[in-house]
Structures are given as structure tokens and as C-alpha cells.
Amino acid sequence: MEVPAEQQPPLLPMEPPQPPPLQPVEPAQPPPQPLGFNISAFYLLLISFSLFYILVGRHSPPRPQLFVNFWGKELSNGFVSHVVKALEDAGVNVSIDSNELKGRDAETLFKRIDNSIIALVIFSDRFSESEWCLNEVVRMDKRVKDSKLRVIPVFYRVSTYDVKNFKGKFGSAFEETVQKQSPEVTNMAEHWMSSVKSVSSKAGLTSEVHSIDSSLVDAIVEDVKRQLPDMLTGNKLSILEELFFALVLAALGKFVAPLLFDDTSFFETPQWFVGVSLLVLVHRRYF
């Protein structure tokens, strides 16, 4: 049954819907930045160390490693000059008597011996003419007995028997040297004889075996190589220096790579620098 219109309740006005309350908006947080490889800072560090190394690190004088004891101008201008050149070409720091300025006292020369770790005593017929050479042999013998020096005797055109027993021209020259000494220092003859016998008894090289001078020079260099620890430390870089320059070389790859490759991003990654360093270690170990 329908209700008459006049009897229907009046319609109430509808309220507009209320918007939901506004929530406070938090500021957007930037995404976390991954820990990257700061290549610019690395280059700056390398350049700084390079400048420091060039200005300071390589200017300290190298430590003498091998002292050459000999007598005679003819040896200085001939055989000994070839020995010194061959050793220096092999990277050995060589100190010889002729490097000393005239007028220096014996202690100055002895310091060269004390700073060396190996000595080359080149005996010849005229060796015992020199009081200086004999005193040097005494000093060397003392350091050998203190385990602070190694000696390689070389018998250049002189018999090993004559040197060890003071015979022949070597013995005659020694007697003349002793006779020139004042009575106060004649006891030095005993020290000279004892030290010469001690040094000449070490394993050495002779012209009797190596009759050609060039062969004897080669044998000396090879013997020095066997006895010197960390051979060529005067010229050879240490492992830290090699690694340092390997990193510098790797850094230079950033500037060279664009000339060869389109994508050079790899040359700015840690993997590139680690790889170059490993190659240096492998080369040092096996070559």
C-alpha cells in the first residue's frame, strides 16, 4: 500500500563527506650511497707519495756493499778497472781505494770496509809493497772473524803458494816493507802475516785457473752474486717500491686506456689495481 506523498517525512539535507585527516609527510630519505672507490683521492695520494719519494726517499747515499783491496797503478788502470765496471754493470755498489781523497787517515778508509758486507782482496806480486793494503787486510780479517764481513781472495798472476807462504816476489816485497818500518811498529809484521795467511786461505779465484783476464772477471762477478744477500740492492727496487710503482703504472692506465678502448670504467676499479700488483709479485717470484 503506497503512502500518500503528503504523509511522507521530509528529506533531511545531506552533509558533504569530510576529507580524511592529513597525515604529516616525512621528508624523503636519500637512498644509501654504496661504498665506492674514490679514484680521484687515490690518484692524489699516489702523486703525493711519488713527489715525496723523488724529493726525499731516493736521495740518501747508497750503502757501499763491496770493497776492493789491491795495489799497483797498472792494476788500477787495467784489470781492476774491468772488475769494477763489470760489478757496477751487475748493480753492485763498489768502493775502492782510489775513491778516497789523498790525505785522509786510515780510519776514514776503514769506515768503507766496515760499511761493506763483502770484500775483494786482489793479491799480486807487488801487493805486499803497500803498508796500506796490509793494514786493510788486518782490518778485514778482524771483521771476518767477527762474522761481519765476507772476503773473496783473488790471486792475479801470482801463485797461491807464494802468497800463503810469503815466497817469490810476493815474499821479497813483504820483507822490504817490514824493513822500512820503525822499530816501534815492527810487531805489525806478525799481524800482517797472520791476516794475509787467514784471508788467502779462504775460497777464492786464481789466474792459474782463469788464465784469460775476461774469464777471471766473469768468475769474480758470479762469485759475488752468489755471496751477496739481496743481490743488486744498490739498484734493484725493494718489493714495496715495486708495488708502489706498479700502482702508479696502473693509475696511468686511466689516461692511456681511452686511446685504446671505448669503455675504460674497468681501469678505475680496485680489481685493476690489485691485478697489476699481483703481476708484479709473480714477476718478482719467478723471474
Side-chain angles (χ1 to χ4, degrees):
M1 179 177 179
E2 295 184 1
V3 178
E6 61 273 6
Q7 295 183 5
Q8 289 183 357
L11 296 176
L12 297 177
M14 296 182 62
E15 296 181 358
Q18 297 294 326
L22 296 177
Q23 299 292 333
V25 179
E26 297 182 358
Q29 297 293 331
Q33 297 293 328
L35 294 177
F37 184 63
N38 194 330
I39 193 70
S40 300
F42 186 77
Y43 287 155
L44 181 61
L45 186 64
L46 281 179
I47 293 173
S48 301
F49 274 113
S50 298
L51 292 176
F52 177 82
Y53 182 81
I54 293 172
L55 295 176
V56 179
R58 273 311 229 191
H59 283 275
S60 57
R63 174 176 179 252
Q65 291 206 59
L66 184 144
F67 184 85
V68 181
N69 171 244
F70 70 98
W71 175 250
K73 187 175 181 179
E74 66 279 4
L75 263 70
S76 177
N77 296 331
F79 177 72
V80 172
S81 65
H82 297 305
V83 171
V84 172
K85 183 179 185 305
L87 289 170
E88 290 178 342
D89 288 344
V92 181
N93 284 328
V94 180
S95 175
I96 61 176
D97 295 20
S98 60
N99 287 340
E100 293 298 323
L101 297 176
K102 293 181 179 180
R104 297 283 186 93
D105 58 11
E107 288 303 319
T108 301
L109 190 59
F110 288 162
K111 286 180 181 178
R112 290 289 185 94
I113 298 174
D114 295 345
N115 289 335
S116 300
I117 60 177
I118 192 168
L120 202 63
V121 181
I122 303 179
F123 291 112
S124 62
D125 285 338
R126 296 183 54 198
F127 181 90
S128 52
E129 291 180 2
S130 171
E131 180 181 340
W132 278 92
C133 288
L134 294 171
N135 287 333
E136 290 171 9
V137 171
V138 173
R139 183 71 164 217
M140 293 175 194
D141 184 42
K142 179 180 182 301
R143 292 189 64 79
V144 168
K145 291 175 180 177
D146 292 339
S147 301
K148 296 179 179 179
L149 182 72
R150 279 173 286 179
V151 173
I152 301 176
V154 177
F155 302 89
Y156 181 70
R157 298 183 182 179
V158 63
S159 168
T160 56
Y161 175 84
D162 288 352
V163 175
K164 294 176 180 179
N165 297 281
F166 294 85
K167 301 294 183 179
K169 294 181 179 180
F170 185 90
S172 300
F174 180 77
E175 291 179 2
E176 293 177 5
T177 303
V178 173
Q179 291 173 1
K180 294 177 183 178
Q181 303 302 308
S182 60
E184 292 80 8
V185 295
T186 51
N187 62 335
M188 281 301 300
E190 297 180 4
H191 295 293
W192 290 341
M193 292 185 68
S194 175
S195 294
V196 168
K197 288 181 179 180
S198 175
V199 170
S200 62
S201 297
K202 306 294 182 184
L205 303 163
T206 72
S207 293
E208 296 173 344
V209 176
H210 305 277
S211 56
I212 302 176
D213 284 3
S214 59
S215 175
L216 183 56
V217 171
D218 292 340
I220 291 171
V221 174
E222 290 303 317
D223 200 3
V224 170
K225 286 182 179 180
R226 285 193 295 269
Q227 296 204 39
L228 268 180
D230 297 328
M231 182 59 189
L232 314 183
T233 52
N235 291 341
K236 187 175 182 179
L237 299 176
S238 68
I239 186 170
L240 291 179
E241 290 173 327
E242 286 191 12
L243 286 174
F244 172 74
F245 284 109
L247 291 175
V248 173
L249 181 62
L252 291 177
K254 173 181 172 59
F255 305 100
V256 178
L259 303 176
L260 304 174
F261 306 98
D262 295 330
D263 185 5
T264 62
S265 58
F266 175 73
F267 296 95
E268 300 181 5
T269 62
Q271 291 84 349
W272 164 248
F273 291 92
V274 172
V276 173
S277 301
L278 289 177
L279 286 177
V280 170
L281 294 176
V282 171
H283 178 272
R284 184 182 180 88
R285 174 64 179 85
Y286 294 103
F287 297 94

Short mmCIF file of all heavy atoms in Angstrom, two decimals, residues 80 146 174 278:
data_model
loop_
_atom_site.label_atom_id
_atom_site.label_comp_id
_atom_site.label_asym_id
_atom_site.label_seq_id
_atom_site.Cartn_x
_atom_site.Cartn_y
_atom_site.Cartn_z
N VAL A 80 141.77 -4.22 -12.58
CA VAL A 80 140.82 -3.78 -11.55
C VAL A 80 139.73 -2.91 -12.16
O VAL A 80 138.56 -3.01 -11.76
CB VAL A 80 141.55 -3.04 -10.42
CG1 VAL A 80 140.55 -2.41 -9.45
CG2 VAL A 80 142.47 -3.99 -9.67
N ASP A 146 134.74 -11.69 13.22
CA ASP A 146 133.57 -11.23 13.99
C ASP A 146 132.27 -11.50 13.24
O ASP A 146 131.20 -11.04 13.68
CB ASP A 146 133.69 -9.72 14.26
CG ASP A 146 134.82 -9.39 15.23
OD1 ASP A 146 135.24 -10.30 15.97
OD2 ASP A 146 135.29 -8.23 15.23
N PHE A 174 157.35 -8.21 0.67
CA PHE A 174 156.92 -8.14 2.06
C PHE A 174 158.10 -7.85 2.98
O PHE A 174 157.99 -7.02 3.91
CB PHE A 174 156.23 -9.44 2.47
CG PHE A 174 155.74 -9.46 3.89
CD1 PHE A 174 154.58 -8.80 4.24
CD2 PHE A 174 156.48 -10.10 4.88
CE1 PHE A 174 154.13 -8.80 5.56
CE2 PHE A 174 156.03 -10.11 6.20
CZ PHE A 174 154.86 -9.45 6.54
N LEU A 278 99.44 -7.99 -8.35
CA LEU A 278 99.70 -9.43 -8.34
C LEU A 278 100.68 -9.82 -9.44
O LEU A 278 101.53 -10.69 -9.25
CB LEU A 278 98.39 -10.20 -8.50
CG LEU A 278 97.45 -10.18 -7.30
CD1 LEU A 278 96.16 -10.91 -7.62
CD2 LEU A 278 98.12 -10.82 -6.08
#
